[in-house]
Amino acid sequence: MTDQGTPTLFELTLSEFVETALKRDLPAPPTFPENPRGIREGAGYLAREFAKVLKVSSTSVRNWESGRRGQGPEWRVYCHLLHHLESRADPHAVAAPAPVRPPAVVPAPRSAPPPPAAAPARPVAAAVPWTALPQWSEPAPPPVPRHTTLPRGHTGSVAVLSAAAGEFTVNLPDGRSGPCPLTRPEDLPHLAAQLGLTPWSAATNGIKGSDRKLPPVLALTASATHALGLPPTCHGTHQDTAAEILDRTGRDGTGRPVGAWSHLGLPNSVGLQLLVLPWTPPASALAELPSPTHTARMLGEYTARVMPPIAPPSHCGVDLMGLTRPELAANHLHDPFPGPARGSVRLWARTPSTRELKRDSVVVALRTTLPFVNAASSDTRLPVAQPRHFNNPAFDRKRAGRWLVDLSGFPHDERMPVPFTADGRPCDGPDWYPTAAVAYAAQRIEVRPLEGWLCPDGGKPYLVPWYERLRDAQIAVLQRTGVSTEHRRDAAPEPARMLADLLGMREHADPVDLAVLDAIAETEAAAVLEPAEGEPGWAAYAREELLARAAANLHRKLLITSRATLLFPLAVTPHLVLYSAPSPDVFHVIAREHPKDAPASFSLGGRPGGVQPAGYAALADYTDLVACLQPEDPAAPALLNSLLTASGAH
């Protein structure tokens, strides 16, 4: 409050300010600003927004702005509101002491119009404390977008810190940037309160049924990392230095080694999640973009569409499953199922046949879009109770568990991988498989389980909200790039146009949108392909089910393609399929017209389950690589991917 008891916009939101002022029945200020409309527009408000909080009509607000004097308490509050906003925009306002508690809600004006030449003097007591909040500068066009889900003035749950010439700058996702009151690493935990960063709430960000809140995220660019005295990496000889500096800031490592993600805690606070961008893996989609502004926009979009990047993508992907299903997060099941997980093809590759070598000169790659998200769209079931052991159980595709069954009778063509083993080789006698793998086998052979560790209640289809969250995020970004997201084949664009759109997206789309798409894909893939320590027990079974169902979906498409075109894959990973072809044109593999009798074959598109061109390579180079490729090598899929060059339209 000011000395006169008037609430300030640094202490309250716009609606709270009006409500408090109305309750106090404040007298009208002695002067009225000369340019009320300019003050309102300079602060970034619409007339109808003023009218809504003042509980008057938009016509009344416009009449007041045109010079008509009003009556009643709403008019008086309106006058006080304009004085505060004008003071905020006036660079000559006298600074008052900073408030006791940090401001958290009202932003600085979107632009700072110069004060009127003959502006009446205002009492010093009504001056706005400029030191209370960073004075955000305005970005160049396009204009700053309005917040739609967060209160006006809220700086959000993510910010990016950069540095130049020894001065720190905070960059926000909406484009604003401003100086940061930071001098040493020990000041980092206090920045959340000083900058108005607040915890991210699942309930207010489109996740129903969850009341979880996650700490705000502060990302450090390479320049900020250097300016704070942090090493360029947290590995090797730099690990001890990084740990020592972060420990001084209040790092809450809970026994974990120092890394790119560190939680900085303060007593009785939610803390701050630090993301040191130079320490992230080089291939991470969360790495720095060309400028801090781009990086802030990207992290803000990821936070709004998916969740805050409070951990590596593998953790985020699994944590999102728990966020979308609170009852699942509360399930502390251990993984009691016997045997190693089966039911997925990690890498399968073969040498080209003599016929393929004579006919073709290149390999064409197709990348499956979010295959595990697509797998979660069906009734993938997770255990909600400790499983029980059964002898000779009848197979039930709606029952979560692992089954001891012999799948060696599954029909096999050596030109295609078997979808139940990590190397794609045929099954050899009884083994333990998740429900999704046995369900796919049961479509072609009779399955007779010998044993089963099964959930008594069958399990629940808990992953559908996870699928919907990532699918909706993918579609929202794709729509900005101009790529069609229509899922019905009879309404989708012609394949040639879809191919042109997909290829053009990588050349012409906003780099922020491309980075968000990559981050969504990384979150999905890492959650399933990269198990992490400390995960809940249900995560292991969720991973097996998604691997098995995605492998079954892919095998079904490979089979349909082989029947329709007599083409067989050369290599298969969970996300990548390689075919030999006479040229890099993907239409050697994908028909230009949708085959009506094969609705489950490959279809170009950016939605989950669609495929996109992933490049091509000389067939001779592929043959040389596969001769020395070890399928069990964790780096083998990356080596295969590195062989490919960017695809183009042919």
Side-chain angles (χ1 to χ4, degrees), residues 170-388:
V170 172
N171 306 271
L172 299 182
D174 62 7
R176 292 179 292 166
S177 62
C180 177
L182 183 68
T183 59
R184 54 180 186 158
E186 288 79 0
D187 297 331
L188 286 170
H190 304 276
L191 281 184
Q194 293 176 350
L195 301 175
L197 294 174
T198 56
W200 180 89
S201 170
T204 58
N205 280 273
I207 297 181
K208 300 179 180 179
S210 177
D211 59 356
R212 277 191 61 188
K213 293 186 176 181
L214 301 177
V217 176
L218 180 68
L220 304 184
T221 63
S223 62
T225 301
H226 176 74
L228 286 169
L230 290 166
T233 178
C234 62
H235 301 294
T237 58
H238 297 292
Q239 186 173 21
D240 292 341
T241 302
E244 179 183 355
I245 295 175
L246 290 182
D247 286 345
R248 292 203 311 266
T249 69
R251 181 176 73 101
D252 180 15
T254 61
R256 295 179 183 174
V258 65
W261 286 267
S262 297
H263 185 265
L264 307 182
L266 284 175
N268 303 317
S269 76
V270 72
L272 178 70
Q273 195 73 15
L274 199 65
L275 169 54
V276 186
L277 293 169
W279 296 356
T280 57
S284 175
L286 299 176
E288 282 189 68
L289 286 169
S291 73
T293 301
H294 287 86
T295 302
R297 284 177 51 210
M298 181 267 160
L299 295 180
E301 180 76 4
Y302 181 85
T303 297
R305 300 288 181 187
V306 183
M307 63 176 292
I310 61 171
S314 58
H315 281 278
C316 285
V318 172
D319 201 20
L320 183 63
M321 295 179 188
L323 280 170
T324 54
R325 281 292 195 182
E327 61 271 42
L328 186 64
N331 189 336
H332 300 293
L333 286 176
H334 297 292
D335 181 18
F337 299 103
R342 305 294 294 271
S344 68
V345 177
R346 299 301 179 92
L347 173 65
W348 172 87
R350 66 176 177 88
T351 56
S353 66
T354 303
R355 180 172 179 271
E356 289 167 332
L357 289 172
K358 290 182 179 180
R359 181 192 64 192
D360 302 327
S361 59
V362 301
V363 289
V364 176
L366 302 176
R367 187 176 307 279
T368 305
T369 305
L370 304 183
F372 305 124
V373 168
N374 187 54
S377 65
S378 55
D379 61 347
T380 300
R381 293 174 177 264
L382 299 187
V384 292
Q386 293 291 346
R388 293 166 49 192

Side-chain angles (χ1 to χ4, degrees), residues 142-165:
V144 179
R146 293 183 178 275
H147 288 303
T148 56
T149 59
L150 299 174
R152 182 177 296 281
H154 185 40
T155 53
S157 302
V158 62
V160 174
L161 188 67
S162 58

Side-chain angles (χ1 to χ4, degrees), residues 339-650:
R342 305 294 294 271
S344 68
V345 177
R346 299 301 179 92
L347 173 65
W348 172 87
R350 66 176 177 88
T351 56
S353 66
T354 303
R355 180 172 179 271
E356 289 167 332
L357 289 172
K358 290 182 179 180
R359 181 192 64 192
D360 302 327
S361 59
V362 301
V363 289
V364 176
L366 302 176
R367 187 176 307 279
T368 305
T369 305
L370 304 183
F372 305 124
V373 168
N374 187 54
S377 65
S378 55
D379 61 347
T380 300
R381 293 174 177 264
L382 299 187
V384 292
Q386 293 291 346
R388 293 166 49 192
H389 180 263
F390 295 86
N391 288 314
N392 301 312
F395 177 67
D396 183 354
R397 65 188 308 273
K398 293 186 177 181
R399 197 168 193 180
R402 285 187 189 161
W403 310 76
L404 180 61
V405 62
D406 187 354
L407 301 183
S408 58
F410 188 82
H412 170 56
D413 187 317
E414 63 181 9
R415 294 169 294 181
M416 288 178 56
V418 172
F420 311 122
T421 58
D423 56 7
R425 296 176 182 175
C427 305
D428 184 16
D431 209 333
W432 292 95
Y433 299 94
T435 298
V438 184
Y440 183 61
Q443 296 177 9
R444 305 193 67 192
I445 63 174
E446 182 180 4
V447 295
R448 295 181 178 179
L450 304 176
E451 298 180 50
W453 281 92
L454 312 173
C455 294
D457 60 355
K460 301 287 185 180
Y462 277 143
L463 295 182
V464 172
W466 183 76
Y467 147 76
E468 292 174 343
R469 181 77 174 177
L470 291 175
R471 176 205 62 189
D472 292 349
Q474 178 86 354
I475 290 176
V477 180
L478 281 175
Q479 288 175 338
R480 288 202 300 268
T481 68
V483 175
S484 172
T485 57
E486 177 58 56
H487 68 285
R488 294 186 302 119
R489 293 198 175 208
D490 58 347
E494 290 296 321
R497 178 185 169 188
M498 176 62 79
L499 176 62
D501 289 346
L502 290 171
L503 294 175
M505 177 180 68
R506 289 288 165 182
E507 295 181 8
H508 307 299
D510 186 337
V512 171
D513 287 337
L514 297 180
V516 175
L517 290 174
D518 290 343
I520 294 171
E522 188 175 351
T523 300
E524 178 245 23
V528 180
L529 297 176
E530 300 176 11
E533 295 183 6
E535 289 181 343
W538 51 261
Y541 187 78
R543 182 175 292 110
E544 293 172 23
E545 277 291 307
L546 292 177
L547 280 167
R549 194 173 292 274
N553 289 343
L554 180 57
H555 186 270
R556 185 182 296 110
K557 294 178 181 180
L558 295 174
L559 188 61
I560 292 173
T561 299
S562 68
R563 290 171 177 173
T565 64
L566 298 180
L567 296 176
F568 295 86
L570 289 179
V572 175
T573 74
H575 289 87
L576 206 63
V577 180
L578 270 64
Y579 282 93
S580 67
S583 77
D585 192 344
V586 298
F587 290 125
H588 289 298
V589 180
I590 300 177
R592 289 182 181 270
E593 300 296 333
H594 294 307
K596 296 181 181 179
D597 58 342
S601 61
F602 291 115
S603 178
L604 284 169
R607 288 178 62 97
V611 295
Q612 303 182 40
Y616 62 94
L619 184 58
D621 293 339
Y622 167 81
T623 304
D624 292 341
L625 176 64
V626 79
C628 58
L629 203 63
Q630 300 296 325
E632 64 276 8
D633 183 358
L639 290 173
L640 191 66
N641 190 69
S642 66
L643 183 69
L644 304 171
T645 59
S647 183
H650 293 270

Side-chain angles (χ1 to χ4, degrees), residues 60-78:
S60 295
V61 173
R62 294 191 181 96
N63 287 340
W64 296 343
E65 291 179 348
S66 65
R68 296 183 186 178
R69 184 177 179 87
Q71 298 286 336
E74 293 81 7
W75 158 258
R76 297 195 295 271
V77 172
Y78 171 72

Side-chain angles (χ1 to χ4, degrees), residues 37 40 45-66 68 78:
R37 179 178 177 180
R40 171 179 58 77
Y45 292 95
L46 299 174
R48 67 171 179 266
E49 292 175 302
F50 264 31
K52 182 177 180 180
V53 296
L54 290 167
K55 294 182 173 57
V56 298
S57 67
S58 298
T59 302
S60 295
V61 173
R62 294 191 181 96
N63 287 340
W64 296 343
E65 291 179 348
S66 65
R68 296 183 186 178
Y78 171 72

